[in-house]
């Protein structure tokens, strides 16, 4: 596996996306998409992890996640959802749809980095070498 981990941050608020990116390990390559369409295009970069906001302007985060899960090379991509919505039913639905974690905004830098590292560590033992 490549030593440089690639993370795709999908967040419609550019400021929030930049803050999230700034909290990630400096050795990661981070791509930012502000809508679902751009996220689908950036999947060509073969990210190792997707940080996904559910409230996107063009497609819901759940719909985007469903599309990604149908792509053979991306089906095992770990997806960590970031949302201001703390509704337990939405959290359960999101996890059942394939997210590996659900983080409620606002996020602390420590929680974000811990959960990103955990998702990356958990995914290293599964799926093809990307």
């Amino acid at each position: 596996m490549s030593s440089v981990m690639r993370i795709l941050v999908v967040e419609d608020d550019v400021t929030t996306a930049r803050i999230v990116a700034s909290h990630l390990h400096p050795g990661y390559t981070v791509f930012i998409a502000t809508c679902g369409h751009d996220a689908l295009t950036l999947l060509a970069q073969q990210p190792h992890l997707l940080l996904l906001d559910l409230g996107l302007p063009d497609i819901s985060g759940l719909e985007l996640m469903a599309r990604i899960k149908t792509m053979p090379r991306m089906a095992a991509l770990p997806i960590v959802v970031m949302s201001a919505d703390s509704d337990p039913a939405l959290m359960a639905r999101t996890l059942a749809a394939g997210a590996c974690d659900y983080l409620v905004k606002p996020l602390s830098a420590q929680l974000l980095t811990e959960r990103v590292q955990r998702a990356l560590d958990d995914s290293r033992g599964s799926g093809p070498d990307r």
Side-chain angles (χ1 to χ4, degrees):
M1 178 180 291
S2 170
S3 62
V4 177
M5 301 305 284
R6 295 176 301 279
I7 298 177
L8 175 54
V9 177
V10 184
E11 165 64 60
D12 64 319
D13 183 285
V14 175
T15 301
T16 300
R18 288 182 179 149
I19 290 169
V20 167
S22 74
H23 291 315
L24 298 173
H25 187 282
Y28 296 157
T29 298
V30 179
F31 303 94
I32 295 175
T34 57
C35 67
H37 178 75
D38 290 348
L40 290 169
T41 300
L42 284 171
L43 288 175
Q45 300 298 322
Q46 298 187 359
H48 295 95
L49 177 75
L50 177 66
L51 289 170
L52 175 63
D53 179 31
L54 292 181
L56 301 175
D58 58 344
I59 181 175
S60 78
L62 286 171
E63 170 73 17
L64 178 61
M65 199 165 55
R67 287 188 191 183
I68 291 169
K69 294 298 181 182
T70 67
M71 299 174 179
R73 289 191 54 93
M74 293 289 115
L77 177 67
I79 300 173
V80 174
V81 168
M82 310 174 296
S83 177
D85 193 334
S86 62
D87 176 52
L90 176 61
M91 295 170 98
R93 201 165 64 245
T94 303
L95 293 169
C100 66
D101 207 343
Y102 190 111
L103 306 176
V104 178
K105 296 183 213 174
L107 304 172
S108 73
Q110 179 179 350
L111 178 66
L112 178 66
T113 56
E114 286 173 2
R115 298 295 181 86
V116 163
Q117 190 59 55
R118 181 171 75 184
L120 288 170
D121 288 347
D122 289 351
S123 71
R124 285 187 181 145
S126 64
D129 182 20
R130 293 185 282 164

